[in-house]
Amino acid sequence: LDAGIRIHGGLSRIWAQKSFRILVRGGYGTADINERVFKTEGLDTFKHLLLRNGGTDNNRAHLRDGLASRLIRGEDLEAAAFRPAIVILNGEYWGVQNLRERIDKYYLEGHLGVDPDQLDLLENAGRGGPYTKMVVEAVEGDLLHWDNMISFVLRNDLSIPANYAHLQTLIDTDNFANYQIIEIFCANKDW
């Protein structure tokens, strides 16, 4: 497969073994990766895949992120498919990395049927470490719904049942709680 790669990740870029985003575009001769990459889960067609260096687990077990994704299967959470991969880069052994689906508009369309044109996909753009103010930016769509929800949370007492009921129309609170529980249980320091 002819494809492009680019360095992927945030803080994990400091490690010698970089993470990569595998990209296909028409200019490479194909617009999709058409392969059942993950035998028991995941999609059959991809625009992007990731080769992850293990992130904050890079110099430890190198598998915690993938293991966490497997542990939450069946829960009300989305988790990118995972499998270990031996990577050869320019003919040189690069090591074992985590081959992952990339959670983006294509992932959400393929797994959940989300219309990519009706999607607000946000990410934390704060790059200064755990004690800096969270800065959210829209990767897809805009911040309007997010800003309205945060404004509502900051201006209203959520212990009042009517306020909490309104919040539940703005965010899936059960999914959010499950996400928090899993991240804390897995001791994820990079979220």
Side-chain angles (χ1 to χ4, degrees):
L1 171 70
D2 288 329
I5 63 170
R6 86 164 77 144
I7 294 177
H8 177 81
L11 184 60
S12 68
R13 293 174 186 228
I14 67 171
W15 301 110
Q17 184 190 49
K18 308 297 184 216
S19 294
F20 296 110
R21 187 178 311 170
I22 302 169
L23 310 160
V24 292
R25 296 187 180 109
Y28 294 119
T30 182
D32 297 305
I33 300 169
N34 295 305
E35 182 70 33
R36 185 86 180 143
V37 175
F38 307 98
K39 304 300 180 209
T40 59
E41 59 187 328
L43 302 171
D44 294 334
T45 302
F46 304 92
K47 294 279 187 196
H48 309 111
L49 287 170
L50 300 178
L51 283 168
R52 294 197 65 234
N53 65 1
T56 55
D57 192 34
N58 179 277
N59 60 350
R60 294 179 182 88
H62 211 123
L63 58 79
R64 286 184 174 97
D65 189 46
L67 177 61
S69 292
R70 292 236 171 118
L71 289 174
I72 66 171
R73 250 193 247 160
E75 297 298 321
D76 183 27
L77 294 168
E78 288 304 309
F82 153 82
R83 77 180 238 201
I86 295 172
V87 179
I88 308 295
L89 182 64
N90 294 329
E92 300 286 328
Y93 177 74
W94 190 250
V96 176
Q97 291 193 273
N98 301 319
L99 184 62
R100 303 295 304 266
E101 291 178 286
R102 179 168 187 260
I103 298 181
D104 58 13
K105 66 181 180 181
Y106 305 111
Y107 174 96
L108 296 169
E109 179 182 31
H111 282 281
L112 302 174
V114 173
D115 180 350
D117 296 326
Q118 300 296 315
L119 171 67
D120 292 333
L121 183 59
L122 314 179
E123 70 179 26
N124 179 1
R127 304 287 185 239
Y131 304 108
T132 59
K133 180 180 177 187
M134 184 171 80
V135 177
V136 176
E137 60 186 23
V139 177
E140 300 289 338
D142 60 49
L143 295 171
L144 183 62
H145 180 79
W146 169 264
D147 289 341
N148 288 337
M149 181 192 65
I150 294 300
S151 178
F152 178 82
V153 167
L154 294 174
R155 289 194 320 242
N156 293 279
D157 181 350
L158 298 180
S159 69
I160 297 171
N163 289 344
Y164 190 73
H166 180 70
L167 177 64
Q168 289 178 303
T169 69
L170 303 175
I171 186 173
D172 183 339
T173 54
D174 290 337
N175 180 273
F176 182 73
N178 285 340
Y179 172 74
Q180 298 296 320
I181 290 165
I182 292 296
E183 294 289 0
I184 292 166
F185 176 80
C186 292
N188 186 357
K189 297 181 282 183
D190 189 23
W191 61 295

